[in-house]
């Protein structure tokens, strides 16, 4: 099959977004993005475990959470003393204040290799143990129960030598649960800088590099062991709610995954037209959240008993639209990042949705699911055409210089240009190509001239214009030409727009006494406005 035939076919059938992106991505990267971890002491998650801790570690004869108050006070005092000793600010967050904005201000002023930026304090709800009085025939007795109460939390924002900015949040009430938030892209940037690998950064990502394979290889090296090591490193440096004796007795934090984001970043060769392409992707894939589509994306069976909602949402934050697909508690988000790249992110909020435990050691299995979901989404999404991602129309209408050879632009509306485009459509399905003499008679006929009035020199000049603009190409070791995929799209566009839009509009009656002309123009204008509105539904 010739390139002309294959190019023409692509404009007529639906193609997956993955197929389209194969021709337009200059750099792509799969990497773990943000991770939100839970740090907890396993033996203190039940009432029985808390009673055992009170008796063996605190020497309490009658278990009661009242006896834990001195331990909590020591931890709070240690945290505030640490802030004073290290010379870092202790900031009380206001209600509704964005903590990340405060962190960015401190980060902009930080010049060290690593260290604590500041410590934030906020009151938030937490699941804790408390004691309530119960009564039976023998009298009253204390009983430990789980309860959700507002307590103070300390946010320790810091910069790590290997992981960059991250924070650890400590609850100041027993059993002192902690949360850790870090970013895999920040880790990757630090590794590239340390190894001397040049790269161009993208906000929370990489835009380009001289060694794409090496960058991807390093990104895959972020594993559970490295994450566990950095968290324990800072647990040793920061005030700890449990004493050394407690930790020696086995009361140590373990890490589990609360949320993990797996990102696929694909940088486009023509960023300025990338948004138009992405908006077309959203417009044609609003049904991507249906259960049958979810089965393809996550490779899991969806039945009536599958919990959660299945939906697709298109959100606009400022002027940047994004596509959101939900499966149980997992979400897939897709958006045009900084006007340069297509970012696809799978966020897993509950590992049990995929029958995988929450322990950090399960990260490899989650990584496989997350990255596979990103790829499957691109294969499930489709477009009816792929011309929106490039700017060939603008290039074709302008003069061009290729290796010192100059060629005039192919202006839309020019009779000779339209004749050229119509002749290309005639030869688009010719598998053997066409010769100089084959098109000469056709172009002359389309121009309404005798073949002798359209000379061989004019034909050579026009074919040269088409070739330099990339609409046709020479067949190797022959005197024949064949139409390219770009040429097939441009020829079809020129001919259809002129035949179905310009010529009917120009043929309308213009006499003053005729009402048909104005009415038809109004209908044409309304239809055109409706088409443009539908084509840019998500803009």
């Amino acid at each position: 099959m010739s390139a002309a035939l294959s190019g023409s076919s692509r404009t007529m059938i639906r193609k997956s977004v993955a197929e389209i992106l194969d021709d337009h991505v200059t750099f792509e990267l799969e990497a773990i993005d943000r991770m939100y971890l839970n740090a907890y002491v396993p033996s203190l998650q039940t009432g029985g475990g808390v009673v055992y801790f009170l008796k063996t570690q605190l020497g309490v004869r009658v278990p009661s959470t009242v006896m834990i108050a001195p331990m909590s006070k020591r931890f709070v005092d240690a945290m505030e003393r640490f802030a004073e000793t290290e010379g870092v600010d202790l900031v009380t967050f206001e209600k509704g204040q964005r903590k990340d904005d405060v962190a960015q201000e401190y980060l902009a002023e930080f010049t060290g290799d690593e260290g604590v930026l500041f410590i934030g304090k906020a009151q938030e709800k937490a699941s804790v143990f408390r004691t309530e009085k119960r009564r039976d025939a023998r009298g009253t007795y204390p009983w430990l129960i789980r309860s959700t109460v507002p307590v103070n939390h300390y946010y320790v924002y810091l910069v790590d030598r290997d992981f960059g900015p991250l924070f650890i949040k400590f609850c100041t009430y027993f059993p002192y649960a902690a949360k850790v938030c870090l970013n895999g892209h920040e880790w990757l940037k630090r590794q590239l800088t340390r190894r001397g690998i040049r790269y161009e950064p993208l906000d929370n990502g990489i835009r380009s590099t001289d060694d794409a394979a090496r960058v991807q290889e390093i990104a895959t090296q972020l594993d559970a062991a490295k994450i566990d090591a950095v968290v324990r490193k800072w647990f040793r440096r920061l005030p700890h709610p449990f004493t050394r004796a407690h930790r020696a007795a086995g009361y140590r934090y373990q890490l589990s995954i609360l949320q993990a984001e797996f990102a696929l970043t694909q940088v486009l060769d023509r960023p300025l037209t990338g948004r138009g392409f992405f908006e077309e992707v959203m417009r044609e894939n609003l049904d991507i959240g249906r259960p049958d589509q979810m089965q393809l994306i996550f490779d899991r069976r969806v039945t009536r008993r599958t919990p959660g909602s299945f939906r697709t949402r298109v959100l606009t934050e400022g002027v940047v639209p994004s596509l959101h697909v939900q499966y149980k508690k997992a979400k897939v988000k897709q958006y045009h990042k900084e006007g340069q790249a297509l970012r696809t992110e799978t966020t897993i909020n509950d590992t049990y949705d995929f029958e995988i435990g929450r322990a950090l050691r399960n990260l490899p299995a989650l990584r496989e699911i997350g990255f596979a979901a990103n790829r499957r989404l691109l294969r499930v999404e489709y477009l009816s055409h792929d011309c929106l991602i490039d700017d060939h129309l603008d290039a074709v209408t302008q003069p061009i210089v290729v290796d010192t050879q100059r060629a005039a632009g192919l202006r839309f509306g020019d009779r000779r240009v339209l004749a050229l485009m119509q002749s290309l459509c005639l030869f688009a399905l010719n598998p053997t190509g066409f010769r100089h003499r084959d098109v000469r008679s056709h172009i002359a006929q389309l121009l309404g001239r005798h073949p002798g009035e359209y000379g061989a020199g004019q034909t050579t000049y026009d074919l040269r214009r088409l070739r330099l603009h990339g609409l046709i190409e020479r067949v190797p070791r022959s005197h024949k030409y064949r139409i390219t995929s770009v040429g097939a799209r441009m020829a079809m566009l020129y001919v259809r727009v002129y035949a179905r839009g310009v010529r009917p509009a120009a043929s309308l009656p213009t006499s003053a006494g005729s009402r048909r002309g104005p009415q038809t123009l109004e209908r044409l204008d309304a239809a055109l406005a409706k088409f443009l509105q539908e084509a840019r539904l998500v803009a």
Side-chain angles (χ1 to χ4, degrees):
M1 182 179 293
S2 69
L5 181 57
S6 61
S8 177
S9 300
R10 284 199 295 269
T11 63
M12 302 299 293
I13 64 174
R14 289 179 172 181
K15 294 178 62 180
S16 73
V17 172
E19 291 178 294
I20 296 174
L21 290 176
D22 282 343
D23 300 325
H24 300 284
V25 172
T26 60
F27 171 71
E28 69 176 26
L29 175 67
E30 282 184 331
I32 297 175
D33 196 25
R34 190 181 65 169
M35 289 196 67
Y36 203 35
L37 307 173
N38 183 36
Y40 67 102
V41 180
S43 58
L44 298 180
Q45 302 307 301
T46 63
V50 173
V51 170
Y52 186 79
F53 176 85
L54 293 173
K55 288 184 175 180
T56 60
Q57 301 301 311
L58 300 185
V60 176
R61 193 165 57 88
V62 179
S64 173
T65 53
V66 174
M67 310 307 296
I68 297 175
M71 184 176 175
S72 300
K73 186 177 185 306
R74 283 196 303 271
F75 177 52
V76 171
D77 292 343
M79 188 65 74
E80 298 188 356
R81 189 166 54 252
F82 175 84
E84 182 178 356
T85 303
E86 296 294 322
V88 298
D89 293 340
L90 184 60
V91 179
T92 300
F93 292 120
E94 302 293 336
K95 185 177 181 181
Q97 185 178 23
R98 281 182 52 86
K99 302 177 181 64
D100 286 346
D101 293 342
V102 179
Q104 288 301 318
E105 295 176 4
Y106 278 90
L107 184 61
E109 299 177 358
F110 185 77
T111 58
D113 188 33
E114 70 174 13
V116 177
L117 296 175
F118 73 99
I119 299 176
K121 183 178 180 181
Q123 190 175 79
E124 300 173 358
K125 290 185 177 180
S127 177
V128 300
F129 285 98
R130 66 181 181 87
T131 306
E132 71 173 13
K133 289 184 178 181
R134 292 192 177 183
R135 182 182 298 272
D136 61 12
R138 295 171 294 181
T140 60
Y141 60 94
W143 190 259
L144 291 177
I145 63 169
R146 275 278 191 180
S147 180
T148 301
V149 296
V151 297
N152 285 333
H153 290 73
Y154 284 111
Y155 285 77
V156 182
Y157 283 86
L158 52 91
V159 175
D160 182 76
R161 184 176 294 105
D162 293 320
F163 277 79
L166 59 92
F167 74 80
I168 301 176
K169 181 178 73 170
F170 289 99
C171 176
T172 61
Y173 199 82
F174 194 85
Y176 311 111
K179 303 290 189 296
V180 181
C181 184
L182 50 84
N183 192 299
H185 281 107
E186 294 297 328
W187 175 86
L188 176 59
K189 291 177 182 179
R190 298 248 167 174
Q191 305 310 309
L192 296 179
T193 301
R194 179 173 296 179
R195 290 168 171 80
I197 299 176
R198 298 177 59 185
Y199 69 93
E200 183 180 356
L202 186 69
D203 177 39
N204 196 25
I206 306 293
R207 187 188 185 281
S208 64
T209 179
D210 297 333
D211 194 347
R214 180 60 175 151
V215 171
Q216 182 61 71
E217 179 186 354
I218 295 174
T220 60
Q221 293 174 6
L222 179 58
D223 54 18
K226 292 182 175 64
I227 295 172
D228 185 81
V230 71
V231 174
R232 299 202 180 280
K233 165 186 171 181
W234 287 100
F235 278 166
R236 290 191 298 268
R237 296 187 182 184
L238 299 173
H240 203 290
F242 296 97
T243 66
R244 290 185 178 179
H246 298 158
R247 298 197 292 273
Y251 294 96
R252 303 174 60 87
Y253 283 120
Q254 299 296 322
L255 297 178
S256 64
I257 300 173
L258 287 179
Q259 184 184 84
E261 295 179 2
F262 303 93
L264 170 63
T265 305
Q266 296 169 298
V267 181
L268 303 176
D269 55 356
R270 295 180 178 88
L272 293 179
T273 56
R275 169 166 174 158
F277 163 73
F278 176 59
E279 290 177 354
E280 189 70 12
V281 171
M282 289 194 296
R283 189 180 73 86
E284 294 205 25
N285 294 277
L286 291 177
D287 61 344
I288 204 73
R290 296 183 310 184
D292 57 336
Q293 302 286 58
M294 288 294 95
Q295 292 182 143
L296 297 176
I297 295 173
F298 288 99
D299 193 25
R300 298 183 67 83
R301 185 180 179 187
V302 177
T303 67
R304 293 181 179 180
R305 300 180 62 183
T306 303
S309 58
F310 302 92
R311 58 179 178 173
T312 306
R313 294 186 298 161
V314 176
L315 303 180
T316 53
E317 183 177 350
V319 294
V320 181
S322 57
L323 181 71
H324 297 250
V325 182
Q326 184 172 343
Y327 167 78
K328 294 183 179 180
K329 294 181 181 179
K331 297 179 181 179
V332 185
K333 177 182 177 183
Q334 199 174 57
Y335 59 98
H336 191 218
K337 189 171 187 64
E338 290 193 341
Q340 302 182 70
L342 179 66
R343 170 66 72 88
T344 309
E345 299 174 350
T346 294
T347 302
I348 298 177
N349 295 300
D350 189 350
T351 64
Y352 290 145
D353 287 344
F354 304 96
E355 299 177 0
I356 296 175
R358 293 195 178 103
L360 183 59
R361 63 175 178 272
N362 293 312
L363 181 59
L366 294 178
R367 182 203 297 263
E368 184 177 347
I369 291 173
F371 290 146
N374 292 336
R375 296 288 183 179
R376 287 194 182 102
L377 175 64
L378 295 175
R379 290 198 295 268
V380 170
E381 290 176 327
Y382 61 83
L383 285 179
S384 299
H385 49 80
D386 61 350
C387 61
L388 285 181
I389 199 170
D390 50 36
D391 50 4
H392 288 298
L393 179 61
D394 181 66
V396 166
T397 58
Q398 302 297 323
I400 191 173
V401 178
V402 179
D403 296 332
T404 70
Q405 298 186 68
R406 305 175 68 89
L410 300 166
R411 294 182 292 110
F412 180 80
D414 186 290
R415 284 194 61 196
R416 188 162 162 179
V417 171
L418 288 173
L420 287 173
M421 295 301 182
Q422 285 180 289
S423 66
L424 289 184
C425 292
L426 293 175
F427 292 102
L429 299 179
N430 189 339
T432 62
F434 56 91
R435 296 177 181 272
H436 180 284
R437 64 172 178 267
D438 296 331
V439 298
R440 181 181 173 188
S441 58
H442 285 290
I443 295 175
Q445 184 178 2
L446 291 169
L447 290 174
R449 301 180 185 178
H450 187 274
E453 297 178 357
Y454 182 69
Q458 292 175 302
T459 307
T460 300
Y461 172 80
D462 286 335
L463 290 178
R464 179 174 171 273
R465 279 202 293 172
L466 295 174
R467 180 176 58 82
L468 292 180
H469 279 284
L471 304 189
I472 62 174
E473 61 185 6
R474 286 189 181 275
V475 178
R477 296 185 296 278
S478 74
H479 296 287
K480 292 184 176 182
Y481 298 90
R482 61 188 174 198
I483 188 171
T484 65
S485 59
V486 174
R489 291 200 297 267
M490 291 299 104
M492 193 70 68
L493 177 65
Y494 272 57
V495 173
R496 282 183 173 178
V497 171
Y498 181 81
R500 300 182 183 181
V502 177
R503 187 167 58 191
S507 303
L508 295 174
T510 57
S511 61
S514 175
R515 293 182 53 84
R516 179 171 171 266
Q519 291 175 352
T520 306
L521 280 174
E522 290 175 2
R523 290 199 300 271
L524 178 63
D525 180 69
L528 181 60
K530 181 180 179 181
F531 167 75
L532 293 175
Q533 181 180 5
E534 291 177 351
R536 290 159 177 80
L537 184 63
V538 296

